[in-house]
């Protein structure tokens, strides 16, 4: 699904990302962990063609993402607040995104219905703009919007941060549901080693821009990761 | 002790502010603007005595000058109401620290006094105090006189601070202030109450009996105290930050636009952007002014005979909105630019939407200005040519140049005189957009063929429309390589 070749990104003379070769297969759930500044967000931005690579390229479904808009039709993503339109109400935002992804009004209503639990009555029908929601609720809006229109590639940057414990558990359930669908590839980054081992079947550790560990998740993975990050 | 730190931090805040890191060209232009005003004011101050003696030869120029001081106070209040911003957010980082709340309040209030803009007027008053007041009276009188003016400035400062703060909480209080202000104006206008005489009486009395200076000082003290009480009552974090008065959501979609698929969706979004954010609203309030701009020119014979001036006006009245919105075209959406880039938005449609937005705003403005036919058909010919030029040429130029604007705009910052997100490029674009048509038209008009000039302007516009698709294609191509830098710039949010 995703092929990375010789990808580097340099900021002010420091190489913040350097991935020689990486293949992420269709319907894989790929997890990315790493300390602050390891290059997780940079990597995701490169996959979404939001920043220019200094060398190399990313291919999505065998097409280079740079200078190409094909990947947009099947990719849903939420990285940060830059993906939210703060002066819209959540409903308006969902409608906007839903329309862009070719959903009808009925589709959107039906889709949102299934996330009633996750929204916990704090998001829909509140007559509030997104800018007036709490950080956690803003995040929920962004994540759910990324899932609209059944994308076959879903990219979420630290989806669990800022969510309350119940919401984290519900989000895990939601993620699992989407993974169960045929041919859905998911890329998730997290600082929480527990969460990432629970939702991903392959985990990469990024350190200072380099992939230093590439693990297929099994019962030892969590321990491996914990010992890697122990100081 | 704490004041020392607060002042230190304040100093850093000022000098590390992004204003100084703005483009050099812009700083120079602004520098010249400020210098221009200082020189003008200085000249007024120096020659005020001479002027007053010429106009009122038998009267004491100082007393005459005094009679204008209350008008000055009124003007100052009005200007402050529009321009002065509230120094609020900056105390947030201190509220949780072991600092006495009342100290912070004092600091906050006094901080506004440190703005150099407060003392700008003294460029007029000090020369007059020296060659007028000190000359006719004494140096001590001149000092007292300057102090009394200083009290006006401080009074205005605190009064406006108070009413501006109240505006978020009790708008009626601010409204009543406006009513009082306006009634003074009318009382004076209908000669029921003479502000001129009151002004002369008050300030002359202070000059002659220096102890009376205590009265304005006391008044400033009272206003300060009122402010302090108000702050103490309201200084909680939740009330300081945003406008806490959360207005109810106006969840209106403009139905018929929605039919146009993705383009309609994007148009709707941008209309909401304008309606729901301060900066956008301010632009919308200004737009009628652009349309009415003609009233300054058309009734006057001198302008009516200056064809080039009319072309300039013509470009502006139909293109006012287009120029001021289009200049920042993508910066308006800087807060969610990443979303646009990574979502299923076809760039061709995205640019088409931008064009439609600007073109329809221009068209609406054009239709509204048809009533200027009252001042002669000539106006309509000129405005029509300008309208075509605007749509066919200027819009494309604006879109092209706005790809080079990488500054983030905070939509909820106050808009009047807010040049955040502005760079020298914006000015550079505005100039050709407004000056180029004048340059094209003028030679023909000078040699007595204004219609050829207008035809050329229209032809340029029509050519632009004919090649619209081709031009847009090139712009979209350019966008593919520019978008990274734009997105990168928009992510820098300070």
């Amino acid at each position: 699904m995703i092929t990375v070749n010789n990808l580097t990104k340099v900021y002010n003379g420091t190489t913040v990302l350097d991935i020689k070769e990486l293949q992420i297969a269709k319907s894989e759930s790929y997890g990315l962990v790493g300390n602050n500044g390891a290059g997780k967000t940079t990597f995701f931005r490169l996959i979404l063609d939001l920043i220019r690579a200094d060398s190399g390229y990313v291919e999505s479904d065998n097409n280079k993402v740079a200078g190409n808009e094909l990947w947009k039709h099947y990719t849903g993503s939420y990285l940060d607040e830059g993906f939210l339109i703060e002066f819209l109400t959540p409903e308006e935002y969902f409608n906007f995104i839903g329309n862009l992804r070719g959903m009808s009004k009925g589709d959107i209503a039906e889709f949102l219905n299934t996330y009633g639990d996750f929204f916990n009555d704090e998001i829909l029908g509140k007559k509030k703009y997104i800018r007036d929601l709490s950080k956690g609720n803003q995040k929920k809006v962004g994540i759910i919007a990324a899932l609209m229109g059944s994308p076959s590639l879903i990219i979420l940057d630290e989806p669990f941060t800022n969510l309350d414990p119940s919401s984290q558990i519900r989000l895990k359930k939601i993620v699992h549901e989407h993974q169960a669908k045929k041919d859905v590839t998911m890329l998730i980054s997290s600082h929480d080693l527990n969460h990432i081992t629970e939702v991903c079947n392959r985990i990469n550790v990024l350190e200072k821009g380099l992939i230093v560990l590439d693990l297929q998740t099994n019962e030892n993975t969590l321990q491996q990761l914990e010992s890697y990050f122990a100081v | 002790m704490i004041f020392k730190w607060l002042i230190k931090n304040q100093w850093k805040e000022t000098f590390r502010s992004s204003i100084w890191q703005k483009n050099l060209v812009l700083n120079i232009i602004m520098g010249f603007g400020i210098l221009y005003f200082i020189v003008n004011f200085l000249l007024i101050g120096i020659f005020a005595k001479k002027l007053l003696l010429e106009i009122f030869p038998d009267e004491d120029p100082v007393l005459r000058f005094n009679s204008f001081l209350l008008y000055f106070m009124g003007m100052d209040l009005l200007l402050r109401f529009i321009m002065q911003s509230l120094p609020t957010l900056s105390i947030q980082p201190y509220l949780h620290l072991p600092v006495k709340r009342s100290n912070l309040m004092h600091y906050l209030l006094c901080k506004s006094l440190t703005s150099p803009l407060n003392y700008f007027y003294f460029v007029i008053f000090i020369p007059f105090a020296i060659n007028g007041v000190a000359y006719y009276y004494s140096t001590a009188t001149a000092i007292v006189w300057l102090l009394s003016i200083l009290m006006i400035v401080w009074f205005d400062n605190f009064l406006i601070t108070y009413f501006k703060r109240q505006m978020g909480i009790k708008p009626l209080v601010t409204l009543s202030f406006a009513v009082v202000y306006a009634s003074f104006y009318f009382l004076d206008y209908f000669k029921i109450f003479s502000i001129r005489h009151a002004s002369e009486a008050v300030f002359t009395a202070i000059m002659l009996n220096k102890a009376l200076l205590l009265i304005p000082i006391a008044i400033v003290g009272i206003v300060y105290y009122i402010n302090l009480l108000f702050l103490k009552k309201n200084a909680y974090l939740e009330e300081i930050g945003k406008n806490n008065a959360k207005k109810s959501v106006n969840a209106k979609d403009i139905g018929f636009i929605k039919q146009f698929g993705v383009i309609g969706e994007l148009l709707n979004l941008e209309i909401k952007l304008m309606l729901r954010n301060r900066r956008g609203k301010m632009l919308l309030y200004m737009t009628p002014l652009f349309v009415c701009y003609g009233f300054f020119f058309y009734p006057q014979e001198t302008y009516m005979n200056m064809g080039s001036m009319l072309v300039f006006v013509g470009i502006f009245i139909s293109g006012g909105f287009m120029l001021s919105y289009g200049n920042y075209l993508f910066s308006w959406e800087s807060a969610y630019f990443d979303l646009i880039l990574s979502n299923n938005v076809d760039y061709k449609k995205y640019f088409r939407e931008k064009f439609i937005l600007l073109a329809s705003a221009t068209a609406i403005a054009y239709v509204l200005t048809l009533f200027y036919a009252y001042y002669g058909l000539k106006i309509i010919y000129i405005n029509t040519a300008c309208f075509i030029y605007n749509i066919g040429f200027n819009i494309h130029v604006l879109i092209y140049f706005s790809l080079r604007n990488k500054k983030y705009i905070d939509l909820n910052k106050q808009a009047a005189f807010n040049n955040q997100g502005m760079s020298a490029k914006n000015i550079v674009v505005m100039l050709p957009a407004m000056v180029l048509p004048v340059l094209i038209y003028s030679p023909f008009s000078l040699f007595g063929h204004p219609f050829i000039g207008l035809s050329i302007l229209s032809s340029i516009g029509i050519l632009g429309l004919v090649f619209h698709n081709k031009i847009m294609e090139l712009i979209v191509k350019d966008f593919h390589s520019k978008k990274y830098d734009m997105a990168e710039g928009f992510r820098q949010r300070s």
Side-chain angles (χ1 to χ4, degrees), chain B residues 16-271:
Chain B
R16 294 178 184 178
S17 122
S18 49
I19 294 178
W20 305 101
Q21 285 142 26
K22 251 189 296 192
N23 207 297
L24 184 67
V25 183
L26 191 66
N27 277 335
I28 292 174
I29 292 174
M30 275 175 41
F32 272 118
I34 292 171
L35 197 69
Y36 174 79
F37 277 109
I38 288 182
V39 170
N40 272 330
F41 279 16
L42 200 64
L43 290 176
I44 295 177
I46 293 171
F47 292 108
K49 185 174 79 169
K50 209 167 157 245
L51 275 173
L52 287 169
L53 277 175
E54 263 172 39
I55 305 171
F56 311 102
D58 308 323
E59 290 177 64
D60 180 347
V62 177
L63 299 189
R64 278 281 123 194
F65 199 97
N66 279 348
S67 66
F68 294 118
L69 286 176
L70 278 182
Y71 290 109
F72 157 73
M73 183 171 136
M75 282 298 297
D76 183 49
L77 278 175
L78 197 66
L79 273 178
R80 278 170 193 275
F81 194 76
I82 300 169
M83 292 176 68
Q84 187 164 319
S85 56
L86 292 175
T88 41
L89 271 170
S90 45
I91 69 161
Q92 257 190 29
Y94 304 104
L95 280 174
H96 67 109
L97 294 174
V99 179
K100 261 170 112 185
R101 218 163 242 267
S102 63
N103 279 347
L104 285 176
M105 305 301 137
H106 285 299
Y107 166 72
L108 193 60
L109 283 171
C110 294
K111 190 183 146 183
S112 55
L113 292 183
T114 59
S115 158
L117 281 176
N118 279 325
Y119 307 105
F120 198 57
Y121 306 111
F122 282 85
V123 180
I124 299 180
F125 295 128
I126 290 176
F128 188 75
I130 295 168
N131 72 11
V133 187
Y135 177 81
Y136 286 102
Y137 298 84
S138 68
T139 314
T141 313
I143 291 170
V144 169
W145 185 77
L146 280 178
L147 284 177
S148 62
I149 292 170
L150 184 68
M151 288 306 121
I152 296 182
V153 172
W154 285 9
F155 174 77
D156 282 3
N157 176 54
F158 289 130
L159 198 68
I160 288 300
T161 313
Y162 179 73
F163 283 116
K164 279 209 144 174
R165 286 224 169 81
Q166 280 287 23
M167 201 151 68
I169 297 163
K170 289 183 198 150
L172 274 183
V173 178
T174 310
L175 192 69
S176 60
F177 162 70
V179 169
V180 171
Y181 184 92
S183 50
F184 267 112
Y185 174 81
F186 283 111
L187 284 176
D188 188 55
Y189 186 80
F190 295 113
K191 305 210 164 67
I192 300 168
F193 172 81
S194 165
I195 292 181
R196 208 166 59 101
H197 288 130
S199 177
E200 190 180 321
V202 169
F203 290 96
T204 312
I206 294 173
M207 263 171 43
L208 297 178
N209 184 355
K210 300 187 180 64
L212 288 178
L213 182 62
L214 288 174
I215 295 174
I217 293 179
I219 294 175
V220 171
I222 291 167
V223 185
Y224 183 87
Y225 188 67
I226 292 173
N227 263 298
L228 195 66
L229 284 184
F230 178 80
L231 275 183
K232 276 192 177 162
K233 229 171 76 189
N234 294 290
Y236 282 93
L237 212 50
E238 50 179 14
E239 288 146 2
I240 289 180
K242 292 173 193 165
N243 238 352
N244 66 319
K246 271 181 199 143
K247 288 158 214 136
S248 62
V249 168
N250 55 341
K252 269 175 266 160
D253 273 327
I254 299 178
F256 77 96
I257 296 180
K258 280 222 155 189
Q259 298 164 5
F260 302 109
V262 173
I263 293 179
E265 202 59 50
L266 290 166
L267 268 176
N268 232 322
L269 180 66
E270 270 194 275
I271 290 167

Side-chain angles (χ1 to χ4, degrees), chain A residues 177-195:
Chain A
E177 281 164 14
H178 279 264
Q179 287 165 337
K181 288 185 194 162
K182 205 172 162 284
D183 286 341
V184 170
T185 314
M186 218 176 243
L187 275 59
I188 294 179
S189 76
S190 177
H191 283 306
D192 191 308
L193 304 176
N194 280 306
H195 290 321

